[in-house]
Amino acid sequence: MTRITVAKGDGIGPEIMNATLEIIKAAGAQIEIDEIEVGEKVYLSGNTSGIASESWDIIRRNKIFLKAPITTPQGGGYKSLNVTTRKFLGLYSNVRPCMSLHPFVETKHPKMDIVIIRENEEDLYAGIEHQQTDEVIQCLKLISRPGCEKIVRYAFEYAKVYGRKKVTCFTKDNIMKQTDGLFHQVFDEIALEYPEIENEHWIIDIGAAKMADTPEIFDVIVTLNLYGDVLSDIAAQIAGSVGLAGSANIGEECAMFEAIHGSAPRRAGQNMANPSGLLEGAVMMLNHIGQTEIAEKVQNAWLKTIEDGIHTYDIFKEGISKQKVGTKEFAQAVITNLGNKPSILKEVSFSKDAVLNLPKYVKKPSAKKELVGVDLFVDWKGTDPDEIAEKMKRIILENINLTMITNRGIKVWPEGFKETFCTDHWRCRFKPTNGSLMTKGQIIALLSNAQLSKIDVIKTENLYEFDGKAGYSLGQGQ
Ligand code: NAD
């Protein structure tokens, strides 16, 4: 018996959760349930996180969380409970299988069968944003080596255990050479440990286009958080419907399972919603807690029901479907099919041995870190790069020179183009003249000089080398 936490959520949430629980219990799932309240009611009671602290205690104690979609109220101040849960509980891996159910659910991609494994904690989802000048706001993209190693290893282990042949990595490392570059580099390193699995890397733009056009050439896709978010909704939709896909959020200790879609408030309370997405999440949960026989039974009964043409409105199609049913009737049809297997769709067979080998991350020894310069970011309302260069030269120190100015990343001094559009946000790079190291004291002296010269420094970034390798990007055009 496994004790799990259940939240019925908002909108269509309670209906699809009741249907899901009814099916898995009828299949013999050995679960005990603690129900908690999350979402709209909690938000509107004045709790901006959408969840009470006692509920966190239950989630942390049970470690397994089955969650229906929730409604995040419109307007500022309400934190996304999904993002908070993933990060609080260290659920670093988001797994979204997207498989076509051709010829029973209409799709342009009858052979599609991909699993998107999305990094779930880092990237722009750190949500660290600052307005720095009238014109410019920044959002920090944070990528860590542990984060990359954990998700890439997860993808290869998943492929190995579930008999997948290929893992494809999507990044934009032709532009983001440091952050996406690290993800790609870690992918190449870890791929070497799995010679039996094919590996490849695509630049995300053409890769995404290819996935939307010819998804059958992909198998497992591993990518960063934001790309994975966008890509997995596209993948679910082109496979048939967002209403069919489930997702698992896996961490070292806890895991959360859900549908990928939202609370569809317009369909709430009408016995219309398709419970399949949440049911698919629950099947992943049953596999995760080792109840593989039950998971298999539920999945095959679900496939058989889809094959029988018993469809909810979202996938119902004259000529393909046989019977349009509501949420409850769909659940009853799946229950009636428990023990049956599909005959045209591929039946599943899950193994108890399908356990991913995911050792705890061990920290690496530190590299030799040397300070080799500093970027001062300045709010300046002028437009002529030569003018700001003259101002900045006034603050230089003995042996510390101004080497470059960029605006939104593109070099504008020395030798910029007059055509380049400049905002009020300037990056001024200072480096020692003779290639020697810089000190923190010199940075403070530069800042003091800037203050005396009434230069509005809005932030600084130190330039480091790690074991002699530059840990910062060049200016574009440098
Ligand atoms: P949505 O996914 O709720 O709905 C998009 C469309 O898909 C709608 O036309 C809806 O009717 C349809 N649809 C979705 N699930 C369906 C199902 N199971 N059966 C049949 N049709 C289904 O997206 P939205 O309308 O943008 O968002 C509604 C609310 O859900 C918002 O408050 C949003 O914040 C929230 N949301 C929550 C989650 C989550 O809790 N994981 C995820 C996404 C959105």
Side-chain angles (χ1 to χ4, degrees):
M1 200 59 88
T2 304
R3 219 176 167 85
I4 66 166
T5 309
V6 161
K8 292 191 174 173
D10 301 313
I12 59 171
E15 295 162 76
I16 60 173
M17 181 60 86
N18 289 339
T20 297
L21 292 176
E22 213 180 319
I23 295 168
I24 64 173
K25 280 182 187 163
Q30 299 293 301
I31 50 170
E32 278 172 339
I33 290 171
D34 285 318
E35 193 179 329
I36 57 164
E37 175 107 54
V38 297
E40 204 171 19
K41 263 197 227 134
V42 184
Y43 281 119
L44 297 178
S45 73
N47 182 332
T48 52
S49 63
I51 179 168
S53 61
E54 308 82 76
S55 300
W56 278 125
D57 297 341
I58 297 171
I59 291 173
R60 292 170 77 187
R61 192 182 63 224
N62 291 342
K63 300 190 189 308
I64 305 293
F65 184 18
L66 182 63
K67 188 183 95 25
I70 58 165
T71 303
T72 312
Q74 298 279 314
Y78 299 109
K79 296 272 176 227
S80 158
L81 180 61
N82 283 331
V83 177
T84 322
T85 309
R86 289 168 187 164
K87 298 186 70 163
F88 258 154
L89 300 180
L91 310 180
Y92 65 91
S93 179
N94 189 320
V95 184
R96 293 183 170 191
C98 300
M99 174 186 65
S100 98
L101 298 166
H102 176 81
F104 305 102
V105 176
E106 200 178 35
T107 171
K108 295 192 182 83
H109 308 287
K111 295 204 188 105
M112 171 172 185
D113 179 11
I114 61 182
V115 180
I116 297 188
I117 298 189
R118 158 190 170 195
E119 199 291 316
N120 219 12
E121 294 181 286
E122 311 198 325
D123 197 352
L124 293 157
Y125 288 67
I128 305 175
E129 297 186 296
H130 297 94
Q131 179 164 5
Q132 297 176 331
T133 66
D134 284 323
E135 293 176 343
V136 175
I137 306 172
Q138 81 167 13
C139 177
L140 285 185
K141 170 158 170 154
L142 292 180
I143 302 295
S144 74
R145 181 167 260 280
C148 295
E149 287 194 11
K150 280 162 71 174
I151 193 67
V152 171
R153 185 167 298 288
Y154 191 95
F156 278 101
E157 277 295 314
Y158 184 97
K160 184 171 151 185
V161 162
Y162 288 97
R164 299 266 172 175
K165 303 277 178 291
K166 181 169 76 171
V167 180
T168 304
C169 175
F170 279 2
T171 75
K172 187 79 184 169
D173 67 339
N174 53 333
I175 304 295
M176 283 158 281
K177 297 188 167 70
Q178 298 281 330
T179 47
D180 286 32
L182 175 63
F183 196 93
H184 186 172
Q185 183 191 330
V186 167
F187 177 79
D188 287 346
E189 287 167 14
I190 291 184
L192 294 175
E193 296 177 36
Y194 298 84
E196 71 282 16
I197 298 168
E198 199 188 325
N199 71 81
E200 62 179 7
H201 171 268
W202 289 68
I203 299 291
I204 179 84
D205 40 30
I206 186 62
K210 198 79 187 160
M211 189 206 75
D213 183 60
T214 330
E216 59 276 12
I217 66 167
F218 296 110
D219 194 344
V220 173
I221 294 176
V222 64
T223 189
L224 294 94
N225 201 344
L226 178 62
Y227 310 143
D229 191 0
V230 177
L231 216 59
S232 57
D233 269 27
I234 297 173
Q237 187 64 33
I238 65 171
S241 159
V242 283
L244 292 173
S247 109
N249 299 268
I250 311 284
E252 284 177 1
E253 292 195 17
C254 300
M256 173 171 78
F257 301 87
E258 56 186 345
I260 74 159
H261 59 76
S263 57
R266 284 194 309 124
R267 308 287 179 195
Q270 299 161 49
N271 189 37
M272 284 181 82
N274 188 347
S276 298
L278 188 59
L279 186 65
E280 287 296 274
V283 167
M284 288 195 259
M285 175 187 80
L286 291 168
N287 271 324
H288 185 82
I289 60 179
Q291 299 188 20
T292 43
E293 278 167 33
I294 313 292
E296 192 175 300
K297 200 167 164 189
V298 171
Q299 184 71 1
N300 283 326
W302 175 71
L303 289 169
K304 176 78 170 73
T305 308
I306 298 282
E307 202 176 272
D308 289 344
I310 301 176
H311 293 170
T312 43
Y313 82 94
D314 54 317
I315 56 168
F316 185 86
K317 193 98 192 160
E318 283 307 337
I320 299 180
S321 310
K322 299 244 163 56
Q323 197 186 342
K324 192 190 270 183
V325 292
T327 317
K328 285 185 186 152
E329 295 72 30
F330 183 81
Q332 280 314 313
V334 178
I335 290 170
T336 308
N337 268 329
L338 286 170
N340 293 339
K341 290 179 176 168
S343 46
I344 296 172
L345 292 172
K346 197 165 160 239
E347 73 169 85
V348 295
S349 131
F350 298 132
S351 157
K352 257 208 162 28
D353 306 329
V355 179
L356 279 62
N357 176 22
L358 298 163
K360 268 200 183 294
Y361 182 80
V362 181
K363 287 206 182 278
K364 305 269 180 300
S366 298
K368 186 169 171 219
K369 177 178 166 188
E370 292 173 312
L371 185 63
V372 296
V374 67
D375 283 345
L376 303 194
F377 288 75
V378 171
D379 181 347
W380 183 62
K381 305 301 178 201
T383 53
D384 180 0
D386 287 335
E387 210 179 307
I388 185 171
E390 285 314 306
K391 272 168 85 75
M392 298 312 291
K393 277 186 199 163
R394 273 183 244 138
I395 71 167
I396 59 175
L397 311 171
E398 195 179 345
N399 295 330
I400 303 287
N401 252 342
L402 177 68
T403 61
M404 171 187 77
I405 300 177
T406 67
N407 196 296
R408 291 186 299 176
I410 180 86
K411 186 188 74 168
V412 292
W413 182 92
E415 291 155 15
F417 284 15
K418 72 174 176 26
E419 291 85 351
T420 305
F421 181 84
C422 291
T423 66
D424 56 4
H425 190 268
W426 307 80
R427 172 177 61 163
C428 307
R429 177 160 291 177
F430 293 87
K431 288 183 118 182
T433 43
N434 46 10
S436 56
L437 300 181
M438 200 162 182
T439 65
K440 293 266 173 75
Q442 287 169 317
I443 296 177
I444 293 167
L446 280 172
L447 288 171
S448 305
N449 287 353
Q451 196 183 7
L452 290 172
S453 300
K454 299 200 165 31
I455 291 168
D456 184 7
V457 178
I458 41 111
K459 75 158 188 167
T460 65
E461 291 285 355
N462 296 350
L463 307 180
Y464 289 112
E465 284 181 1
F466 291 84
D467 286 342
K469 188 169 164 254
Y472 53 92
S473 53
L474 295 178
Q476 287 160 336
Q478 195 183 13

Short mmCIF file of all heavy atoms in Angstrom, two decimals, residues 10 12 16 40 67-74 81-82 86 96 233 237 241-244 256 258-267 272-278 312-315 327, ligand 1:
data_model
loop_
_atom_site.label_atom_id
_atom_site.label_comp_id
_atom_site.label_asym_id
_atom_site.label_seq_id
_atom_site.Cartn_x
_atom_site.Cartn_y
_atom_site.Cartn_z
N ASP A 10 -9.15 22.69 -9.73
CA ASP A 10 -10.26 23.58 -10.10
C ASP A 10 -10.83 23.19 -11.46
O ASP A 10 -10.27 22.36 -12.16
CB ASP A 10 -9.74 25.02 -10.19
CG ASP A 10 -9.13 25.49 -8.88
OD1 ASP A 10 -9.76 25.28 -7.84
OD2 ASP A 10 -8.02 26.05 -8.92
N ILE A 12 -12.35 21.63 -14.44
CA ILE A 12 -12.65 20.22 -14.72
C ILE A 12 -11.89 19.28 -13.79
O ILE A 12 -12.09 18.07 -13.83
CB ILE A 12 -12.33 19.86 -16.19
CG1 ILE A 12 -10.83 20.11 -16.49
CG2 ILE A 12 -13.22 20.62 -17.17
CD1 ILE A 12 -10.37 19.57 -17.84
N ILE A 16 -12.22 15.02 -13.54
CA ILE A 16 -11.24 14.11 -14.15
C ILE A 16 -10.47 13.35 -13.06
O ILE A 16 -10.07 12.21 -13.27
CB ILE A 16 -10.29 14.83 -15.16
CG1 ILE A 16 -9.48 15.94 -14.50
CG2 ILE A 16 -11.06 15.35 -16.36
CD1 ILE A 16 -8.42 16.55 -15.44
N GLU A 40 -7.52 27.78 -6.71
CA GLU A 40 -8.28 29.03 -6.72
C GLU A 40 -8.83 29.44 -5.35
O GLU A 40 -8.62 30.57 -4.92
CB GLU A 40 -9.44 28.89 -7.72
CG GLU A 40 -9.92 30.23 -8.24
CD GLU A 40 -10.90 30.07 -9.39
OE1 GLU A 40 -11.48 28.97 -9.55
OE2 GLU A 40 -11.10 31.05 -10.12
N LYS A 67 -1.89 15.39 -8.97
CA LYS A 67 -2.51 16.73 -8.92
C LYS A 67 -3.34 17.01 -10.17
O LYS A 67 -2.85 16.86 -11.29
CB LYS A 67 -1.39 17.77 -8.81
CG LYS A 67 -1.88 19.17 -8.56
CD LYS A 67 -0.75 20.16 -8.54
CE LYS A 67 -0.47 20.85 -9.82
NZ LYS A 67 -1.38 21.06 -10.85
N ALA A 68 -4.58 17.43 -9.96
CA ALA A 68 -5.42 17.87 -11.08
C ALA A 68 -5.07 19.33 -11.40
O ALA A 68 -4.46 20.01 -10.57
CB ALA A 68 -6.89 17.75 -10.68
N PRO A 69 -5.44 19.81 -12.59
CA PRO A 69 -5.10 21.19 -12.93
C PRO A 69 -5.78 22.20 -12.02
O PRO A 69 -6.87 21.92 -11.49
CB PRO A 69 -5.59 21.35 -14.37
CG PRO A 69 -6.46 20.18 -14.65
CD PRO A 69 -6.11 19.10 -13.70
N ILE A 70 -5.14 23.33 -11.86
CA ILE A 70 -5.73 24.39 -11.03
C ILE A 70 -5.83 25.68 -11.84
O ILE A 70 -5.16 25.84 -12.85
CB ILE A 70 -4.89 24.64 -9.76
CG1 ILE A 70 -3.46 25.00 -10.13
CG2 ILE A 70 -4.93 23.46 -8.83
CD1 ILE A 70 -2.70 25.59 -8.99
N THR A 71 -6.68 26.56 -11.37
CA THR A 71 -6.84 27.87 -12.01
C THR A 71 -6.01 28.88 -11.23
O THR A 71 -6.18 29.00 -10.02
CB THR A 71 -8.33 28.30 -11.98
OG1 THR A 71 -9.10 27.28 -12.63
CG2 THR A 71 -8.55 29.62 -12.66
N THR A 72 -5.10 29.56 -11.94
CA THR A 72 -4.38 30.64 -11.29
C THR A 72 -5.17 31.92 -11.57
O THR A 72 -5.36 32.27 -12.74
CB THR A 72 -2.95 30.79 -11.87
OG1 THR A 72 -2.36 29.50 -11.91
CG2 THR A 72 -2.10 31.71 -11.03
N PRO A 73 -5.69 32.60 -10.50
CA PRO A 73 -6.53 33.77 -10.76
C PRO A 73 -5.77 34.82 -11.57
O PRO A 73 -4.55 34.94 -11.45
CB PRO A 73 -6.84 34.30 -9.36
CG PRO A 73 -6.52 33.19 -8.42
CD PRO A 73 -5.48 32.36 -9.08
N GLN A 74 -6.52 35.52 -12.43
CA GLN A 74 -5.92 36.60 -13.23
C GLN A 74 -5.46 37.71 -12.29
O GLN A 74 -5.97 37.85 -11.21
CB GLN A 74 -6.98 37.17 -14.19
CG GLN A 74 -7.52 36.17 -15.18
CD GLN A 74 -6.61 35.97 -16.38
OE1 GLN A 74 -6.14 36.93 -16.94
NE2 GLN A 74 -6.33 34.73 -16.73
N LEU A 81 1.59 27.80 -8.66
CA LEU A 81 1.81 26.68 -7.73
C LEU A 81 2.63 25.57 -8.39
O LEU A 81 3.41 24.89 -7.74
CB LEU A 81 0.45 26.15 -7.27
CG LEU A 81 0.51 24.97 -6.30
CD1 LEU A 81 1.24 25.36 -5.03
CD2 LEU A 81 -0.88 24.49 -5.98
N ASN A 82 2.45 25.41 -9.71
CA ASN A 82 3.20 24.36 -10.40
C ASN A 82 4.69 24.61 -10.32
O ASN A 82 5.47 23.72 -10.00
CB ASN A 82 2.80 24.29 -11.87
CG ASN A 82 1.47 23.60 -12.01
OD1 ASN A 82 1.12 22.76 -11.20
ND2 ASN A 82 0.72 23.98 -13.02
N ARG A 86 7.42 22.31 -8.22
CA ARG A 86 8.56 21.66 -8.88
C ARG A 86 9.87 22.05 -8.23
O ARG A 86 10.75 21.22 -8.01
CB ARG A 86 8.59 22.07 -10.36
CG ARG A 86 7.47 21.45 -11.16
CD ARG A 86 7.35 22.09 -12.52
NE ARG A 86 6.16 21.60 -13.20
CZ ARG A 86 5.61 22.18 -14.25
NH1 ARG A 86 6.14 23.29 -14.74
NH2 ARG A 86 4.54 21.68 -14.82
N ARG A 96 7.22 13.92 -20.57
CA ARG A 96 5.94 14.02 -21.28
C ARG A 96 5.92 13.12 -22.52
O ARG A 96 6.43 13.51 -23.57
CB ARG A 96 5.68 15.46 -21.71
CG ARG A 96 5.46 16.38 -20.54
CD ARG A 96 5.13 17.78 -21.01
NE ARG A 96 4.70 18.59 -19.89
CZ ARG A 96 4.14 19.78 -20.01
NH1 ARG A 96 3.95 20.31 -21.20
NH2 ARG A 96 3.78 20.46 -18.94
N ASP A 233 3.95 21.10 -25.47
CA ASP A 233 2.55 21.39 -25.79
C ASP A 233 2.30 21.18 -27.28
O ASP A 233 1.27 20.63 -27.68
CB ASP A 233 2.18 22.84 -25.41
CG ASP A 233 1.64 22.91 -23.98
OD1 ASP A 233 2.02 22.04 -23.17
OD2 ASP A 233 0.85 23.83 -23.68
N GLN A 237 -0.26 18.37 -28.84
CA GLN A 237 -1.34 18.81 -29.71
C GLN A 237 -1.28 18.11 -31.07
O GLN A 237 -2.29 17.65 -31.58
CB GLN A 237 -1.27 20.34 -29.88
CG GLN A 237 -2.43 20.95 -30.63
CD GLN A 237 -3.77 20.78 -29.90
OE1 GLN A 237 -3.84 20.78 -28.68
NE2 GLN A 237 -4.84 20.60 -30.67
N SER A 241 -4.28 15.60 -29.17
CA SER A 241 -4.98 16.60 -28.37
C SER A 241 -4.20 16.83 -27.07
O SER A 241 -3.64 15.88 -26.52
CB SER A 241 -6.37 16.09 -28.01
OG SER A 241 -6.88 16.77 -26.89
N VAL A 242 -4.19 18.07 -26.59
CA VAL A 242 -3.56 18.31 -25.28
C VAL A 242 -4.29 17.54 -24.18
O VAL A 242 -3.74 17.27 -23.13
CB VAL A 242 -3.48 19.80 -24.85
CG1 VAL A 242 -2.39 20.54 -25.56
CG2 VAL A 242 -4.81 20.50 -24.98
N GLY A 243 -5.55 17.19 -24.46
CA GLY A 243 -6.36 16.47 -23.46
C GLY A 243 -5.93 15.04 -23.25
O GLY A 243 -6.46 14.35 -22.38
N LEU A 244 -4.96 14.55 -24.06
CA LEU A 244 -4.57 13.14 -23.96
C LEU A 244 -3.24 12.91 -23.24
O LEU A 244 -2.88 11.77 -22.96
CB LEU A 244 -4.44 12.55 -25.37
CG LEU A 244 -5.72 12.39 -26.19
CD1 LEU A 244 -5.39 11.96 -27.60
CD2 LEU A 244 -6.64 11.38 -25.52
N MET A 256 5.65 14.32 -8.69
CA MET A 256 4.28 14.83 -8.88
C MET A 256 3.80 14.41 -10.27
O MET A 256 4.54 14.52 -11.24
CB MET A 256 4.27 16.35 -8.75
CG MET A 256 2.94 16.99 -9.09
SD MET A 256 2.92 18.74 -8.68
CE MET A 256 3.82 19.45 -10.04
N GLU A 258 0.60 14.65 -13.23
CA GLU A 258 -0.52 15.52 -13.60
C GLU A 258 -0.84 15.36 -15.09
O GLU A 258 -0.14 14.66 -15.81
CB GLU A 258 -0.19 16.98 -13.28
CG GLU A 258 1.09 17.46 -13.93
CD GLU A 258 1.53 18.86 -13.52
OE1 GLU A 258 0.73 19.61 -12.95
OE2 GLU A 258 2.69 19.19 -13.80
N ALA A 259 -1.92 16.03 -15.52
CA ALA A 259 -2.21 16.15 -16.95
C ALA A 259 -1.42 17.36 -17.44
O ALA A 259 -1.08 18.24 -16.65
CB ALA A 259 -3.70 16.38 -17.15
N ILE A 260 -1.16 17.44 -18.75
CA ILE A 260 -0.41 18.64 -19.18
C ILE A 260 -1.33 19.84 -19.39
O ILE A 260 -0.87 20.97 -19.41
CB ILE A 260 0.46 18.40 -20.44
CG1 ILE A 260 -0.38 18.32 -21.71
CG2 ILE A 260 1.36 17.20 -20.31
CD1 ILE A 260 0.46 18.61 -22.95
N HIS A 261 -2.64 19.59 -19.52
CA HIS A 261 -3.54 20.71 -19.82
C HIS A 261 -3.96 21.45 -18.54
O HIS A 261 -3.64 21.02 -17.43
CB HIS A 261 -4.77 20.20 -20.58
CG HIS A 261 -5.54 19.17 -19.82
ND1 HIS A 261 -6.35 19.48 -18.77
CD2 HIS A 261 -5.60 17.82 -19.96
CE1 HIS A 261 -6.89 18.37 -18.30
NE2 HIS A 261 -6.45 17.34 -18.99
N GLY A 262 -4.70 22.54 -18.73
CA GLY A 262 -5.16 23.34 -17.61
C GLY A 262 -6.56 22.94 -17.15
O GLY A 262 -7.06 21.86 -17.49
N SER A 263 -7.19 23.85 -16.40
CA SER A 263 -8.43 23.52 -15.71
C SER A 263 -9.68 23.73 -16.58
O SER A 263 -10.80 23.51 -16.10
CB SER A 263 -8.55 24.36 -14.45
OG SER A 263 -8.48 25.73 -14.81
N ALA A 264 -9.48 24.16 -17.83
CA ALA A 264 -10.57 24.34 -18.81
C ALA A 264 -11.88 24.79 -18.14
O ALA A 264 -12.90 24.09 -18.22
CB ALA A 264 -10.79 23.03 -19.59
N PRO A 265 -11.89 25.97 -17.50
CA PRO A 265 -13.05 26.37 -16.69
C PRO A 265 -14.37 26.36 -17.46
O PRO A 265 -15.42 26.08 -16.89
CB PRO A 265 -12.70 27.78 -16.22
CG PRO A 265 -11.31 28.06 -16.64
CD PRO A 265 -10.81 26.95 -17.50
N ARG A 266 -14.31 26.63 -18.77
CA ARG A 266 -15.57 26.69 -19.54
C ARG A 266 -16.25 25.33 -19.65
O ARG A 266 -17.44 25.24 -19.91
CB ARG A 266 -15.30 27.24 -20.95
CG ARG A 266 -15.09 28.77 -20.96
CD ARG A 266 -15.15 29.36 -22.36
NE ARG A 266 -14.28 28.64 -23.29
CZ ARG A 266 -14.69 28.09 -24.42
NH1 ARG A 266 -15.96 28.15 -24.78
NH2 ARG A 266 -13.85 27.46 -25.21
N ARG A 267 -15.51 24.26 -19.43
CA ARG A 267 -16.07 22.90 -19.53
C ARG A 267 -16.42 22.32 -18.16
O ARG A 267 -16.89 21.19 -18.07
CB ARG A 267 -15.07 21.96 -20.19
CG ARG A 267 -14.53 22.46 -21.51
CD ARG A 267 -15.58 22.34 -22.59
NE ARG A 267 -15.09 22.84 -23.87
CZ ARG A 267 -15.86 23.12 -24.89
NH1 ARG A 267 -17.17 22.98 -24.80
NH2 ARG A 267 -15.35 23.55 -26.02
N MET A 272 -18.04 16.70 -19.32
CA MET A 272 -17.61 16.68 -20.73
C MET A 272 -16.13 16.35 -20.88
O MET A 272 -15.72 15.79 -21.90
CB MET A 272 -17.82 18.07 -21.35
CG MET A 272 -19.24 18.40 -21.68
SD MET A 272 -19.30 20.03 -22.43
CE MET A 272 -18.87 19.65 -24.11
N ALA A 273 -15.33 16.73 -19.87
CA ALA A 273 -13.86 16.71 -20.05
C ALA A 273 -13.32 15.30 -20.25
O ALA A 273 -13.86 14.32 -19.73
CB ALA A 273 -13.20 17.34 -18.84
N ASN A 274 -12.24 15.24 -20.98
CA ASN A 274 -11.53 13.99 -21.22
C ASN A 274 -10.58 13.74 -20.04
O ASN A 274 -9.68 14.55 -19.79
CB ASN A 274 -10.73 14.13 -22.52
CG ASN A 274 -10.11 12.83 -22.96
OD1 ASN A 274 -10.07 11.86 -22.20
ND2 ASN A 274 -9.63 12.80 -24.19
N PRO A 275 -10.75 12.65 -19.30
CA PRO A 275 -9.86 12.41 -18.15
C PRO A 275 -8.52 11.76 -18.55
O PRO A 275 -7.71 11.45 -17.69
CB PRO A 275 -10.69 11.45 -17.29
CG PRO A 275 -11.54 10.71 -18.25
CD PRO A 275 -11.80 11.61 -19.42
N SER A 276 -8.31 11.54 -19.86
CA SER A 276 -7.15 10.76 -20.30
C SER A 276 -5.80 11.33 -19.87
O SER A 276 -4.89 10.58 -19.50
CB SER A 276 -7.16 10.62 -21.82
OG SER A 276 -8.31 9.93 -22.23
N GLY A 277 -5.65 12.67 -19.93
CA GLY A 277 -4.36 13.27 -19.58
C GLY A 277 -3.97 12.94 -18.15
O GLY A 277 -2.85 12.50 -17.86
N LEU A 278 -4.93 13.12 -17.23
CA LEU A 278 -4.64 12.83 -15.82
C LEU A 278 -4.46 11.33 -15.61
O LEU A 278 -3.60 10.90 -14.83
CB LEU A 278 -5.77 13.38 -14.93
CG LEU A 278 -5.51 13.32 -13.43
CD1 LEU A 278 -4.24 14.10 -13.06
CD2 LEU A 278 -6.69 13.86 -12.65
N THR A 312 -14.56 11.14 -25.80
CA THR A 312 -15.12 12.40 -25.28
C THR A 312 -15.12 13.43 -26.43
O THR A 312 -14.47 13.22 -27.46
CB THR A 312 -14.29 12.92 -24.09
OG1 THR A 312 -12.92 12.76 -24.40
CG2 THR A 312 -14.62 12.16 -22.81
N TYR A 313 -15.83 14.55 -26.21
CA TYR A 313 -16.09 15.50 -27.30
C TYR A 313 -14.82 16.01 -28.00
O TYR A 313 -14.81 16.28 -29.19
CB TYR A 313 -16.90 16.70 -26.76
CG TYR A 313 -16.03 17.74 -26.10
CD1 TYR A 313 -15.55 18.84 -26.81
CD2 TYR A 313 -15.62 17.61 -24.76
CE1 TYR A 313 -14.71 19.77 -26.22
CE2 TYR A 313 -14.78 18.52 -24.18
CZ TYR A 313 -14.33 19.61 -24.91
OH TYR A 313 -13.48 20.51 -24.34
N ASP A 314 -13.73 16.14 -27.21
CA ASP A 314 -12.52 16.78 -27.76
C ASP A 314 -11.85 15.94 -28.85
O ASP A 314 -11.15 16.48 -29.70
CB ASP A 314 -11.51 17.08 -26.63
CG ASP A 314 -11.18 15.84 -25.82
OD1 ASP A 314 -12.10 15.08 -25.48
OD2 ASP A 314 -9.99 15.63 -25.52
N ILE A 315 -12.04 14.60 -28.80
CA ILE A 315 -11.41 13.77 -29.83
C ILE A 315 -12.46 13.07 -30.70
O ILE A 315 -12.12 12.28 -31.57
CB ILE A 315 -10.43 12.73 -29.21
CG1 ILE A 315 -11.13 11.84 -28.16
CG2 ILE A 315 -9.22 13.39 -28.61
CD1 ILE A 315 -10.30 10.63 -27.74
N THR A 327 -17.39 12.38 -19.22
CA THR A 327 -16.25 11.96 -18.39
C THR A 327 -16.56 10.64 -17.66
O THR A 327 -15.77 9.70 -17.68
CB THR A 327 -15.95 13.06 -17.34
OG1 THR A 327 -16.01 14.33 -17.99
CG2 THR A 327 -14.60 12.86 -16.69
P1 NAD B 1 -6.61 24.67 -20.77
O1 NAD B 1 -5.61 23.59 -20.99
O2 NAD B 1 -7.38 24.63 -19.51
O3 NAD B 1 -7.63 24.67 -21.99
C1 NAD B 1 -7.22 24.83 -23.36
C2 NAD B 1 -8.27 24.23 -24.29
O4 NAD B 1 -8.22 22.80 -24.23
C3 NAD B 1 -9.70 24.61 -23.96
O5 NAD B 1 -10.42 24.77 -25.16
C4 NAD B 1 -10.24 23.41 -23.20
O6 NAD B 1 -11.62 23.26 -23.31
C5 NAD B 1 -9.47 22.26 -23.85
N1 NAD B 1 -9.19 21.19 -22.88
C6 NAD B 1 -8.21 21.17 -21.96
N2 NAD B 1 -8.23 20.05 -21.24
C7 NAD B 1 -9.26 19.33 -21.72
C8 NAD B 1 -9.81 18.06 -21.38
N3 NAD B 1 -9.28 17.31 -20.39
N4 NAD B 1 -10.87 17.62 -22.06
C9 NAD B 1 -11.40 18.34 -23.03
N5 NAD B 1 -10.94 19.54 -23.42
C10 NAD B 1 -9.89 20.04 -22.76
O7 NAD B 1 -5.83 26.05 -20.91
P2 NAD B 1 -6.29 27.54 -20.56
O8 NAD B 1 -7.71 27.73 -20.95
O9 NAD B 1 -5.24 28.41 -21.14
O10 NAD B 1 -6.14 27.67 -18.99
C11 NAD B 1 -7.23 27.57 -18.05
C12 NAD B 1 -6.69 27.66 -16.64
O11 NAD B 1 -5.83 26.54 -16.38
C13 NAD B 1 -5.86 28.89 -16.33
O12 NAD B 1 -6.22 29.39 -15.07
C14 NAD B 1 -4.43 28.37 -16.28
O13 NAD B 1 -3.64 29.12 -15.39
C15 NAD B 1 -4.64 26.98 -15.76
N6 NAD B 1 -3.57 26.01 -16.11
C16 NAD B 1 -3.25 25.13 -15.14
C17 NAD B 1 -2.31 24.14 -15.40
C18 NAD B 1 -1.98 23.17 -14.32
O14 NAD B 1 -2.54 23.24 -13.24
N7 NAD B 1 -1.09 22.24 -14.56
C19 NAD B 1 -1.70 24.06 -16.65
C20 NAD B 1 -2.08 24.99 -17.65
C21 NAD B 1 -3.03 25.97 -17.36
#
